[in-house]
Each structure stands twice: as structure tokens, then as C-alpha cells.
Amino acid sequence: PQTNGDLSQNQTLALRAIDLATAANCPRVAVTSTSAVYGSPCEPGAMAESHPLQPVNDYGHSKVRMEQAVWARCTRDAKGPSVVILRLSNVIGCDMLGAAARQATTEKPVVLDRFDGSRGAIRSYLGPETLWDALLALASAALPRQSVFNMANGSAGVEMSAILEELQAAGAGVPWVWS
């Protein structure tokens, strides 16, 4: 996610999507949020949707405000569509690592930090195919009017260095170094 833009657009765009769905008589809208609403560091393993929202950066705060505005709209407008908020982990290729990998050169490689007892940062990821499959399933699922789901592939997470090593093994090497 970019954090240097107008983060209020998260709320504006989500509410606009609900307005358009209402006008088009769509029965359901999926709104994307982020696991950043939970803050950092997250506990190891899967995070329950009921976990307290404690964002630590502007991006996470903007998504909490967006979610609150969406729920307020749903409560106020009983004739509108049902809403599913999807709290996404990192979509592979659309996260900071993907952006850094696309810009990496031998002169300016990706720099990964090491942490105690680990090879590097571990992040939860979501593949685009898994996201698509979930959207298809949610389109026809019997759900309450307001639902929220966390979305990630598994709960163990993936070391960012492992992703870069896999790219190298596949012949699409990305220059990277430890900090």
C-alpha cells in the first residue's frame, strides 16, 4: 500500500462502491481492508476477526476509519447491499517486497532486515488465485448483512528471503542483500 497519498480515499471509495451497488440493486459488496488494522507485532498464527483493532500507522488507521464508515452506512441504510469486509494480508506481488523487487538492480538491491532467531521478516501472503476463489465463494454464500473475514494463505507466514530465493532458483533472480 502507498502511504504518501490521500488515505481518506479508502473511506470515500468504499462508500462510493456501496452507493453504486445500491443504485444498481446489487445484493452484496466486498470491500478490501488490511491486516494492518490489527497493528504490529501480531501474534504468531492465525488472527481472529474479533481481535482488537490497534493500528500503528496512518494506513492502518485509515482502514479502521473506512471500516467504521462502512458499518455505519450499513446500519443506517437497511435497503443497501450486504457488505463483506475482507482484511487482506499481503497480496503476492502487490506488497512492498514486490515493488522493491521490480525496481532492484545489482547497484541498488533489495535490502532485507534480520531479526533475532530468524532469517528475516515473516509475512502472511495471499495469492491472487486464492483471493479470486474467495470472492467467487462469497458472492453466493449465505452471510449476515455485515461480515468480516481475514484473508491469507495459511497461518505460518513466509520469510521474505525465501520468496527472493525462490525467484533466483526459477531464473528470475532479484538482487538482494541482508542489512
Side-chain angles (χ1 to χ4, degrees):
Q2 293 186 349
T3 57
N4 59 350
D6 180 4
L7 296 178
S8 69
Q9 289 298 310
N10 287 314
Q11 180 175 326
T12 302
L13 292 171
L15 294 176
R16 183 68 178 132
I18 293 170
D19 291 343
L20 291 170
T22 301
N25 205 28
C26 292
R28 179 170 294 151
V29 173
V31 176
T32 58
S33 188
T34 175
S35 58
V37 298
Y38 297 118
S40 178
C42 291
E43 298 150 4
M47 183 72 65
E49 288 81 0
S50 60
H51 190 85
L53 305 183
Q54 300 172 324
V56 296
N57 58 34
D58 291 342
Y59 178 70
H61 284 286
S62 74
K63 288 295 192 171
V64 169
R65 286 190 299 275
M66 177 208 68
E67 289 187 19
Q68 292 168 339
V70 164
W71 295 144
R73 175 70 60 88
C74 287
T75 301
R76 188 175 67 244
D77 182 8
K79 295 180 184 178
S82 68
V83 175
V84 177
I85 290 181
L86 301 175
R87 292 182 181 150
L88 305 180
S89 61
N90 300 286
V91 178
I92 294 175
C94 299
D95 65 329
M96 292 177 4
L97 180 61
R102 286 186 293 278
Q103 296 173 4
T105 65
T106 53
E107 295 80 29
K108 192 169 182 177
V110 173
V111 178
L112 295 182
D113 295 325
R114 285 188 195 220
F115 300 96
D116 293 337
S118 174
R119 294 179 61 210
I122 296 174
R123 301 186 74 184
S124 295
Y125 279 95
L126 175 64
E129 296 87 5
T130 303
L131 177 58
W132 176 250
D133 290 345
L135 289 170
L136 289 177
L138 288 170
S140 60
L143 297 172
R145 183 160 157 65
Q146 299 176 3
S147 303
V148 62
F149 295 99
N150 293 334
M151 302 283 305
N153 284 348
S155 61
V158 177
E159 287 188 28
M160 293 170 61
S161 60
I163 294 171
L164 295 173
E165 288 169 354
E166 287 293 323
L167 286 170
Q168 286 180 335
V174 173
W176 69 278
V177 296
W178 292 112
S179 63

